[in-house]
Amino acid sequence: MSRTPLIAGNWKMFKTGSEAVATARRLAEFASDITNIDIMIAPPFPSLALVSENLKSMSSRVNVGAQNLFYINEGAYTGEVSAKMLKAAGVSHVIIGHSERRQYFGETNEDICRKIKAAVESDLIPIMCIGETESQKKDGKTFYVLDKQIQNGLQGFRSNELLTLVIAYEPVWAIGTGNTATPEQAEAVHSYIRSEIEKMFNSNLAEDIRIIYGGSVKPDNISELMSHKNVDGALVGGASLDADKFIKIIKYNRIK
Ligand code: PEP
């Protein structure tokens, strides 16, 4: 098994350009000695190019991700940003289908499928977010919901188009609530997701695909989460806004 861990920070709608650059630079300094892990931060759209230029000038390994994209390359779509534009701004990763986009902006699994396609076509690494809400969990529908999100979100792809895809399991009840899934819960769901990828595609893709966990990840719970074999990293919201906290997460205790 040779899946490089990915620790990704989702800054959501926080930080102006100068704040984003300051945090990114601090992070890049702290992370300069880390080589065996992929690191990504996703600032808001207006800061992407600025953060990316700053990190490049520091020869940093910290990658820049976007929090969303639109699936058409250009046109009369006021307020939208395309994969091509992200690529030109120095972006390498893109978060797709975050639960806040599904919940507040009505994104469907079909939209998410188109967005993943646009990302893949522009050589961006898609991070597809999936996860059940609290009431779906209470109703025993977790696996049903995940199946739909995976099957519809990845419909029509060939496995060789998904070699860079990252799946982020983010139970909605754990996002921003302090209620992290237990490491055992996360491992059980990640293992299920891997088996679904095997059924839908093949065992090679299932073995290679990175499945990361998101939902109230903090410096004090990351090591235990990462000790599980099917947890390949984390998507971190609140705790990624502070460079000191985020670096503690990145420097988790690496024992598998
Ligand atoms: C997220 O928004 O993707 C997230 C996981 O947030 P938090 O870490 O704050 O729960």
Side-chain angles (χ1 to χ4, degrees):
M1 188 179 75
S2 61
R3 297 188 296 264
T4 306
L6 168 66
I7 305 286
N10 173 13
W11 288 359
K12 310 193 184 195
M13 199 175 71
F14 290 100
K15 296 187 189 293
T16 61
S18 56
E19 290 164 348
V21 167
T23 309
R25 291 188 72 93
R26 190 164 167 76
L27 185 63
E29 277 161 29
F30 283 142
S32 59
D33 57 337
I34 301 176
T35 52
N36 48 359
I37 189 168
D38 290 341
I39 305 167
M40 186 217 82
I41 47 174
F45 283 139
S47 310
L48 288 174
L50 206 56
V51 166
S52 158
E53 279 158 25
N54 270 270
L55 292 174
K56 208 164 156 199
S57 73
M58 295 172 78
S59 303
S60 174
R61 290 184 60 256
V62 176
N63 297 288
V64 178
Q67 300 172 21
N68 183 26
L69 54 62
F70 189 52
Y71 44 76
I72 290 175
N73 253 341
E74 58 184 15
Y77 298 99
T78 302
E80 295 296 331
V81 174
S82 73
K84 183 176 146 190
M85 293 167 188
L86 294 178
K87 195 77 191 166
V91 165
S92 55
H93 295 59
V94 56
I95 299 170
I96 295 177
H98 190 279
S99 63
E100 287 150 16
R101 300 235 31 108
R102 294 177 188 260
Q103 188 181 347
Y104 305 132
F105 302 97
E107 278 192 19
T108 64
N109 289 325
E110 291 67 31
D111 296 326
I112 288 154
C113 184
R114 288 191 196 109
K115 291 184 177 201
I116 295 172
K117 200 156 192 62
V120 166
E121 281 168 359
S122 285
D123 243 346
L124 291 168
I125 297 174
I127 303 177
M128 176 176 80
C129 300
I130 59 174
E132 79 286 5
T133 62
E134 180 152 34
S135 69
Q136 289 165 335
K137 180 172 188 269
K138 277 200 188 118
D139 293 345
K141 290 188 178 150
T142 297
F143 294 121
Y144 170 81
V145 170
L146 295 176
D147 279 351
K148 284 271 161 290
Q149 291 174 334
I150 295 170
Q151 285 162 14
N152 297 341
L154 299 180
Q155 194 180 16
F157 282 95
R158 293 189 307 270
S159 62
N160 65 357
E161 295 173 302
L162 297 177
L163 300 177
T164 64
L165 175 73
V166 176
I167 296 180
Y169 170 55
E170 296 210 302
V172 182
W173 48 268
I175 296 181
T177 59
N179 298 328
T180 325
T182 64
E184 293 70 27
Q185 279 172 326
E187 170 64 18
V189 175
H190 285 213
S191 158
Y192 178 80
I193 294 169
R194 214 176 283 292
S195 68
E196 285 305 293
I197 295 294
E198 178 163 3
K199 270 194 237 154
M200 197 171 166
F201 297 99
N202 55 53
S203 57
N204 284 344
L205 184 66
E207 178 60 24
D208 290 346
I209 207 161
R210 288 183 291 181
I211 306 175
I212 65 176
Y213 169 79
S216 298
V217 172
K218 305 260 171 342
D220 61 6
N221 58 25
I222 182 70
S223 298
E224 211 189 329
L225 282 161
M226 290 300 292
S227 71
H228 287 268
K229 111 171 180 288
N230 286 295
V231 180
D232 303 316
L235 181 54
V236 186
S240 72
L241 292 167
D242 177 308
D244 300 286
K245 244 190 216 165
F246 193 43
I247 201 72
K248 282 192 189 138
I249 293 176
I250 291 163
K251 293 192 173 174
Y252 67 91
N253 188 2
R254 262 162 242 170
I255 305 166
K256 274 258 191 213

